[in-house]
Amino acid sequence: MVVYNVTVSIDEAVALEWLEWMRKKHVPEIMETGLFKECKLCRVHGEEAGGLTYAVMYTAFSIEHLENFNEHFEPRLQSMQLEKFKGRYVDFKTMLSVIEEF
């Protein structure tokens, strides 16, 4: 399995709106692609002043599923977030290969 982690630092003034949008719109659209097994939305503690930080962890069925997502779905979905929250967030993405689960 592969974990696609998106870490987002969002302006505190729009954080609740962003969370609601993530829950009701963005994450459901990503899960509807059928390329991910599950998604976990986590709060990152110890972030810098002026913003709240979250990690959104999508578990892909395989690296090929993630590559399919990145090629065919991610650009459009990312542009929707940029349009809605432009200048109010920064993010970075990490791909992690699961070696073992305990």
Side-chain angles (χ1 to χ4, degrees):
M1 276 188 288
V2 176
V3 176
Y4 179 55
N5 184 76
V6 182
T7 303
V8 179
S9 180
I10 186 89
D11 184 331
E12 197 167 352
V14 296
L16 290 178
E17 178 186 358
W18 179 83
L19 279 170
E20 189 73 9
W21 179 78
M22 289 293 289
R23 288 180 178 120
K24 292 187 175 177
K25 177 105 174 112
H26 195 65
V27 171
E29 282 189 309
I30 290 174
M31 296 306 293
E32 285 172 7
T33 67
L35 300 170
F36 298 95
K37 175 184 173 186
E38 65 183 3
C39 176
K40 294 178 183 176
L41 176 60
C42 306
R43 172 78 191 278
V44 177
H45 297 280
E47 66 276 352
E48 296 180 28
L52 300 175
T53 303
Y54 296 89
V56 190
M57 299 183 296
Y58 301 94
T59 303
F61 292 106
S62 68
I63 195 162
E64 292 80 16
H65 284 89
L66 180 55
E67 289 170 348
N68 183 352
F69 173 77
N70 285 332
E71 184 177 337
H72 296 104
F73 299 96
E74 197 272 341
R76 179 183 62 82
L77 293 167
Q78 178 65 32
S79 70
M80 292 170 61
Q81 179 169 277
L82 181 59
E83 182 180 313
K84 187 159 183 67
F85 297 101
K86 186 174 184 174
R88 308 303 297 265
Y89 77 99
V90 295
D91 67 4
F92 68 91
K93 299 165 180 93
T94 310
M95 182 180 72
L96 306 129
S97 294
V98 177
I99 297 170
E100 191 170 351
E101 293 184 73
F102 300 91

